[in-house]
Amino acid sequence: QVQLVESGGGLVQAGESLRLSCTVSGSIFRINAMGWYRQAPGEERELVARITSGGTLNYADSVEGRFTISMNNVKNTVYLQMNSLKPEDTAVYYCMTTAVGSRTYKESTYWGQGTQVTVSS
């Protein structure tokens, strides 16, 4: 079984910062990538940022230059530093990992439960 535990969401004003964290635990043999998606009310879930175990980064255009994703391979933890937050960043943020299970040795995608980020104007 694989668990993703997120933390760091909250309510901030526009222009402020937040840092999200997500730790993976359980039956994992190898993490290939970790990332953050978000979903606003009435909208589809969208990629925010993603990082591979090799260090390849991907960002949504809307957050490029404001958000920074990083990963601690030893702690199986991914971080999302969000600066200069805007009201349009308001959403539930979901952590995800693409990992090889230690029992199946197959790659699967796992999701966290989500953490609310609300940015007031």
Side-chain angles (χ1 to χ4, degrees):
Q1 199 169 3
V2 177
Q3 298 85 35
L4 283 74
V5 179
E6 301 145 331
S7 62
L11 171 64
V12 296
Q13 293 187 337
E16 294 185 340
S17 299
L18 278 175
R19 188 190 193 211
L20 305 182
S21 301
C22 173
T23 299
V24 179
S25 62
S27 305
I28 292 291
F29 173 69
R30 184 183 67 245
I31 290 176
N32 291 334
M34 295 191 74
W36 293 93
Y37 284 69
R38 68 186 181 187
Q39 187 168 19
E43 302 289 334
E44 293 186 355
R45 190 174 296 188
E46 63 175 1
L47 172 70
V48 177
R50 182 177 178 271
I51 182 170
T52 69
S53 59
T56 300
L57 305 176
N58 295 100
Y59 290 99
D61 290 343
S62 59
V63 307
E64 185 84 51
R66 299 188 297 122
F67 291 10
T68 302
I69 190 170
S70 59
M71 184 165 67
N72 184 318
N73 293 321
V74 174
K75 295 182 178 181
N76 286 348
T77 299
V78 65
Y79 306 95
L80 185 68
Q81 178 65 43
M82 305 185 294
N83 298 330
S84 302
L85 282 161
K86 303 176 181 180
E88 51 263 43
D89 294 318
T90 295
V92 177
Y93 283 69
Y94 295 91
C95 174
M96 60 77 65
T97 183
T98 303
V100 176
S102 60
R103 297 178 180 177
T104 64
Y105 290 98
K106 293 181 180 180
E107 184 181 83
S108 298
T109 299
Y110 304 91
W111 294 89
Q113 80 284 358
T115 184
Q116 178 70 46
V117 171
T118 303
V119 184
S120 63
S121 58

